[in-house]
Amino acid sequence: MSGEPREEEENAAELKIGEEFLKAKCLMNCEVAIILEHKYEQLQHMSSDGGADQVSQVFEKSQGYVKRFSRYKNPDAVRQVRETLSRYSLHEFELCTLGNLCPDTADEARALVPSLVPGGRFQGDERIDKMLNDLSLIKKFE
Amino acid sequence: MFFHIVLERNMQLHPRHFGPHLRDKLVAKLMKDVEGTCSGRHGFVVAITGVEDVGKGLIREGTGFVTFPVKYQCVVFRPFKGEILEAVVTMVNKMGFFAEAGPVQIFVSNHLIPDDMEFQSGDVPNYTTSDGSVKIQKESEVRLKIIGTRVDATEIFCIGTIKDDYLGIISDPGAAS
């Protein structure tokens, strides 16, 4: 084991999630809920003899989870959340963490997504506050 | 976190499937083989959402089986160290509690539960603050931070903490809120 080049340790707080996942598209829970619901309906159509109970345990658990923890239910609202957040030059992973957890204050947002702090994208609270405010408005008018 | 990624896999197909529905057979087999599996590198494969490309098949000598390289899009769930997410408590004991976030299990040891929360045994074992205002029990929803992952070939298991700012209970099944 010794002497082998080891991969840099992963740490989502510093966006160290590996090359492959950095380039990949992240999904918010509410987006996953829509995708899985769609897939579930497709499966039911395909086999009339109750083929839907053939879904894997992983699928079932994920579906239960995203249904329970989706902040936004309405597909239009879900699209708006992504649109709104993409205006703030966030990384995909940050965008989805914010969309999933919906922090109330700038302090909370920085605690949950520490990678917002360095780099000077969000100096002062105003810009974060505005972003969080935008998010809560979508929720209100959903 | 859930991701939408493109993965590749070499699929072996029996010659009896060669015909007009070859692609359908290939896709059906891919779903059966891949969905619900877990790898340390890519996490849990939740659902295949599309097939991007089926490459040229290669006949395997002696068997007649053909190997096709297939590129497919899928939704995966991959937990990361340092990630903060919400989870449902599934079991509470004096060592700590287990929670579930989708397909992944997360253990929060009692050392990583705030010091002012004490374990209470009984019908519904739980962790409660001394003034009784906060209670974590089965079916509670908590927000936690993953501080470690144990990955082997077919399973991912996580260690979490709720001993940090803005972590802990989000909803309590016992209290009407």
Side-chain angles (χ1 to χ4, degrees):
Chain A
M1 294 288 255
S2 63
E4 272 176 44
R6 268 208 56 187
E7 261 183 63
E8 201 177 359
E9 204 181 347
E10 64 185 42
N11 183 358
E14 296 167 23
L15 289 182
K16 287 182 190 154
I17 55 173
E19 183 80 9
E20 213 170 345
F21 285 103
L22 267 182
K23 283 188 293 190
K25 187 181 163 76
C26 296
L27 297 169
M28 290 183 280
N29 292 343
C30 46
E31 293 173 315
V32 178
I34 294 172
I35 295 174
L36 295 189
E37 185 60 34
H38 181 73
K39 171 116 188 172
Y40 190 76
E41 276 168 17
Q42 261 184 344
L43 283 174
Q44 276 179 324
H45 277 295
M46 258 159 48
S47 50
S48 47
D49 52 334
D53 40 62
Q54 283 175 12
V55 296
S56 68
Q57 208 195 5
V58 171
F59 186 97
E60 218 170 87
K61 290 203 161 183
S62 303
Q63 197 178 25
Y65 176 71
V66 292
K67 268 191 193 160
R68 187 162 182 169
F69 290 103
S70 282
R71 298 286 173 150
Y72 308 89
K73 310 279 181 211
N74 172 339
D76 286 326
V78 173
R79 203 171 315 128
Q80 270 184 49
V81 171
R82 185 170 274 277
E83 263 174 37
T84 307
L85 286 175
S86 6
R87 281 186 230 127
Y88 289 88
S89 54
L90 295 165
H91 185 271
E92 282 271 322
F93 195 88
E94 299 169 334
L95 187 154
C96 291
T97 308
L98 289 171
N100 281 344
L101 301 176
C102 288
D104 293 320
T105 62
D107 235 22
E108 188 180 0
R110 275 191 294 254
L112 300 178
V113 192
S115 56
L116 289 180
V117 180
R121 273 177 299 168
F122 289 95
Q123 274 167 355
D125 287 350
E126 291 121 56
R127 208 146 161 262
I128 298 188
D129 281 336
K130 177 153 190 322
M131 175 170 75
L132 301 180
N133 193 30
D134 288 353
L135 271 189
S136 63
L137 278 180
I138 299 175
K139 178 80 201 156
K140 212 176 282 173
F141 292 111
E142 188 182 22
Chain B
M1 182 71 74
F2 287 95
F3 292 86
H4 202 203
I5 58 172
V6 177
L7 295 177
E8 204 172 338
R9 185 183 174 87
N10 286 323
M11 298 290 304
Q12 273 200 36
L13 206 62
H14 192 277
R16 70 166 174 270
H17 299 305
F18 301 166
H21 302 299
L22 190 147
R23 196 186 153 97
D24 293 347
K25 284 280 176 217
L26 212 53
V27 173
K29 187 171 192 298
L30 180 74
M31 288 190 178
K32 204 164 151 249
D33 286 4
V34 175
E35 286 185 348
T37 61
C38 171
S39 75
R41 184 152 160 226
H42 295 114
F44 297 87
V45 179
V46 180
I48 292 173
T49 54
V51 173
E52 278 204 342
D53 182 50
V54 179
K56 278 196 177 135
L58 194 72
I59 301 174
R60 298 182 60 94
E61 251 174 80
T63 65
F65 274 86
V66 168
T67 309
F68 294 93
V70 183
K71 263 193 188 168
Y72 57 97
Q73 301 159 328
C74 57
V75 175
V76 300
F77 182 81
R78 168 76 152 83
F80 285 97
K81 201 174 153 180
E83 182 181 345
I84 293 174
L85 43 72
E86 292 165 334
V88 183
V89 174
T90 53
M91 190 176 76
V92 179
N93 62 33
K94 65 179 192 322
M95 312 290 287
F97 66 83
F98 285 90
E100 225 171 54
V104 76
Q105 286 254 10
I106 303 157
F107 177 67
V108 178
S109 136
N110 58 11
H111 300 289
L112 298 168
I113 296 171
D115 296 330
D116 62 343
M117 296 193 86
E118 289 260 345
F119 177 68
Q120 318 276 335
S121 55
D123 277 353
V124 187
N126 61 78
Y127 281 87
T128 313
T129 51
S130 49
D131 61 357
S133 62
V134 181
K135 190 188 254 184
I136 294 176
Q137 61 190 51
K138 191 171 189 267
E139 285 296 308
S140 293
E141 295 176 358
V142 292
R143 185 190 275 172
L144 50 83
K145 178 158 91 184
I146 296 172
I147 55 165
T149 55
R150 196 196 67 204
V151 168
D152 58 37
T154 57
E155 189 86 71
I156 299 181
F157 184 80
C158 296
I159 302 289
T161 179
I162 55 166
K163 210 178 186 176
D164 215 336
D165 292 348
Y166 301 105
L167 301 182
I169 197 96
I170 3 177
S171 92
D172 179 349
S177 56

